[in-house]
Structure formats: C-alpha cells, structure tokens
Amino acid sequence: MDSMRVKTPEEIELLEHARRLVPALKSRTARADRDFRVPDETICELQETGLLRALQPRAFGGYEVDPRTFFEIQTILAEGCMSTAWIYGVMGVHPWQLARYPIEAQRDVWGPDNATLISSTYMPVAKVTVVEGGYRISGRWGFSSGSEHCQWCFLGGVLPADDEFAAEHGTFLIPRSDYRIEHNWDVLGLRGTGSHDIVVEDVFVPAHRVQRTNNPMPEATPGRLVNTNPIYAIPFAQVFTRAVSTSAIGALQGAINEFRANAAAHVGKHGMKTADDPVAQITVAEATIIVDSLKLVLERNYAHLMELATAGEYPDVETRLLYRYQSSYVTNVCAEKVSELLRCMAASGLYSSNPVARLFRDLHQARGHIANNFMAFGRSLGAVQLGLPNPDPYV
C-alpha cells in the first residue's frame, strides 16, 4: 500500500491554508454556537483558499486531491471549530459526488459559478412520482448541515424499479429556488452547523439531476467517463460516511491541546496542579494514542481504496463493511475520550465557555448521527464474518 505517499505542492498549500485558519476559527466558535451557523467570513475564507474545491474536478476549477488530504484538512479545521470542520466535510465532499453525475448536472451547478456550494440530507423520505423526463418529488428532510450557505441541495429518496435497475436509494439534486429551509436547529452540540430541515413541495427534477447513490456501475455514475481520476471510483459509502466522522479526530486533538494548556496553569482547590494528577497524565496520553491510531487506520484504508480504484477494482463486501464500521466507531471513541478529559478538569471544566466542554458537546452530538451508529455497522460486519448475507443495502 501507498504508505509513503508524497503530497503534491497543491495539497501541501491547501493543508497550510487550513492550519493558518485555526486561530480565527477558534475565536468564532461562541458566535457560531449562538447564531446556529458558521460565520459568513469563515465560508468566504474556505472559498478563497480553495479548500471547499479540494475534491472538485479540475475541469470546474477544483484540485482533485487524494481523499487522505481532504480528510487531513478536515481534522486540522476541527482543532479550531468542529462545526466548521463538520460542514467542511459535508459540503466539501459534495463536489466529489456531483463529479459522478451526468455532465449536464455539473454544468447546471458549476457552469455559472464554480464556487457554488451544495448541502444535503440523504434521508430516503422523498415522495417520488415518475414523470416524463424525470421525477416529481415532495417531502421534508432533517439535518441539512450548512444549508444556509448553499445554493443547491442533494436530497434522498427511493427510486422505483425500472427495466434497467432495481428499486434503490437515489439522490435528487435541486436548486435553492425549489426548496425552503425550516430553521429548527437548536441542539446540544455542533450548533454552528445549522443543520436545519429542508422542505420541498411537488418539484420536478430532470433525470440528469438524479443519481442511484450507491450504484457503482458506469451507467449509474456517467460523470466518471469525464472525470477519470480514480478518486471518483471509490464507493459512495466509503467517502461520505467519513465526512461525518473524521472531524471528531481533529476535535479530540483540539480538546487535547486545550487540556494541556489548562493543566499546566490550573491549580485546584486542594492546591494541586492538574498536570500533577496521575489520572490526568494517563488520560491525556490515552487520548493522544487514540488520535494517532484513528489517523493511521484512515490513512491505511484510503491507501487501499485508492489502490483498488486505480486498478479498476471494487472492494469486496467484508472490506467495505470493515471500513464502514471503523468510520462509524470514530465518534464513539472520541466522545468517550473527551468525556475523560473533561472529568479531569473537575468543576472548573463545566463552564459553558470552557473549550473542552464545547468539544464534549460537539462530539456527543456527532455520535448521534445515523452514519455513526457503530453498533449497527459492527453487527453487519459480524454477520458477514459469520457466514450470513450482508444485511446493509447501502454498503
């Protein structure tokens, strides 16, 4: 596997841009939480530096970076603000998906402006009616992260069977003029993601703006005939699901950074520095090796996925389920470790203004995402390991 991968100058530059943004992101966290949205200036910076075009096709002004670089950018941003990193992962991975759509759909979105952003909610709740030239859809979807910053939206629904394909999950791409945002995002953590509801009332979606989400066949991903970089051949479930778990790795690193700074200065009511507490010492060490281990697994998995994609091969079912399970497990273990760090800060750590407390809330919110339900994905892997059929139609 490509364990000694050399980053391109463009990738190095994008990573440096991300690192330089961290202090500003950290300074805006309270405002993002209060306003239920990442500040507009943050989105402008992510746009101006090219970070949101990391996975976008070169034909439309993007960089087509290796997914490992994309997710490294996400972890760096999370050290400053997990809400920013979360919507970066979601909005930043959408150009990768659009690159697999027919070229007509890519031109619809990027033709007028290649900086156009897309939000999403893949809940399969669309009421779908087949009509001439496409579909009519209606519905209400929850959890559309970063939706207020976007001009288009990917929406989930079940496509009915036809002569060529069985019924399966589909993604409908619709412009902002065809949906409204219902502002209802008042939650424990990741408040800045602004993950509001999307409402659509009987809208026509032309066939070229609809994709069979998890279908890897060339006829279901015609954009790959134009965008031939192997990154676009990796299975959908192996890319998007990491977009909603990887920010947790950077957030735990951010909590470690804050904890170390606090422990060196804080003296408790009994006169002992936190840094002198043996429990604090082992807790920060354990959190550190968790971050390191999670990064190594991500790097190895994507090295393998890129190797397969470059060879025109598709990962077998056990590999897909293993990697899927490992992705879902990230938020679980990071939430556990940030809980331990917060406990070591005792009563002084419980103020809402404490950065570790904020990251505690963010990580536990991330843990609740359906894509991070590690127990369900563990059962799917275990079933296949024990000789049973794959119970997960999406992996």
Side-chain angles (χ1 to χ4, degrees), residues 365-387:
Q365 186 76 27
R367 196 181 200 176
H369 193 289
I370 189 171
N372 295 325
N373 182 354
F374 73 98
M375 290 177 286
F377 298 109
R379 288 195 300 271
S380 295
L381 172 62
V384 170
Q385 286 181 312
L386 298 176

Side-chain angles (χ1 to χ4, degrees), residues 1 29 48 82-83 101 118 138 162 220 230 242 247 330 333 336 348 364 366 375 381 395:
M1 293 185 189
T29 52
E48 290 166 358
M82 188 175 176
S83 284
Y101 269 70
I118 307 169
S138 298
D162 59 25
R242 276 286 182 178
S247 59
V330 168
V333 68
E336 289 181 348
S348 66
H364 281 274
M375 290 177 286
L381 172 62
V395 181

Side-chain angles (χ1 to χ4, degrees), residues 201-344:
E201 296 172 351
D202 191 27
V203 163
F204 173 70
V205 186
H208 72 269
R209 292 188 196 156
V210 181
Q211 186 178 63
R212 294 178 180 272
T213 315
N214 297 287
N215 192 321
M217 302 299 289
E219 55 268 31
T221 53
R224 288 170 52 203
L225 299 175
V226 179
N227 302 309
T228 57
N229 191 311
I231 66 173
Y232 301 118
I234 298 174
F236 173 87
Q238 301 299 329
V239 177
F240 184 82
T241 52
R242 276 286 182 178
V244 293
S245 71
T246 304
S247 59
I249 303 174
L252 180 57
Q253 182 61 59
I256 292 168
N257 298 344
E258 298 289 352
F259 183 81
R260 291 177 62 180
N262 177 274
H266 179 258
V267 178
K269 287 185 169 55
H270 298 292
M272 184 174 70
K273 278 189 175 183
T274 303
D276 293 325
D277 179 3
V279 176
Q281 294 164 2
I282 191 63
T283 297
V284 72
E286 288 181 349
T288 299
I289 66 166
I290 288 297
V291 169
D292 192 46
S293 300
L294 294 175
K295 286 181 176 179
L296 286 170
V297 169
L298 186 152
E299 181 82 15
R300 182 208 63 188
N301 290 4
Y302 276 100
H304 184 213
L305 290 168
M306 281 297 294
E307 185 180 281
L308 292 172
T310 301
E313 300 174 5
Y314 198 73
D316 61 43
V317 64
E318 193 164 324
T319 297
R320 299 197 309 272
L321 290 171
L322 172 63
Y323 292 0
R324 182 68 193 83
Y325 179 38
Q326 288 170 319
S327 173
S328 67
Y329 196 76
V330 168
T331 57
N332 176 65
V333 68
C334 288
E336 289 181 348
K337 292 304 170 185
V338 79
S339 297
E340 294 171 9
L341 289 171
L342 189 61
R343 185 176 63 218
C344 287

Side-chain angles (χ1 to χ4, degrees), residues 88-112:
Y88 175 78
V90 173
M91 288 159 37
V93 86
H94 291 151
W96 174 89
Q97 184 179 6
L98 183 56
R100 292 152 61 99
Y101 269 70
I103 189 65
E104 294 87 352
Q106 298 176 52
R107 289 175 180 147
D108 287 348
V109 176
W110 291 321

Side-chain angles (χ1 to χ4, degrees), residues 33 41-42 59 106 131-132 144 150 194 201 212 237 349 369 379:
D33 280 4
E41 56 260 50
T42 293
Q106 298 176 52
V131 296
E132 184 176 353
S144 186
C150 299
E201 296 172 351
R212 294 178 180 272
H369 193 289
R379 288 195 300 271

Side-chain angles (χ1 to χ4, degrees), residues 142 163 216 218 257 355 358:
D163 294 338
N257 298 344
R358 172 178 46 78

Side-chain angles (χ1 to χ4, degrees), residues 136-163:
R136 298 200 74 87
I137 69 167
S138 298
R140 183 181 184 122
W141 293 256
F143 309 106
S144 186
S145 299
S147 52
E148 292 178 289
H149 301 292
C150 299
Q151 295 77 47
W152 290 76
C153 192
F154 283 134
L155 297 171
V158 176
L159 289 168
D162 59 25
D163 294 338

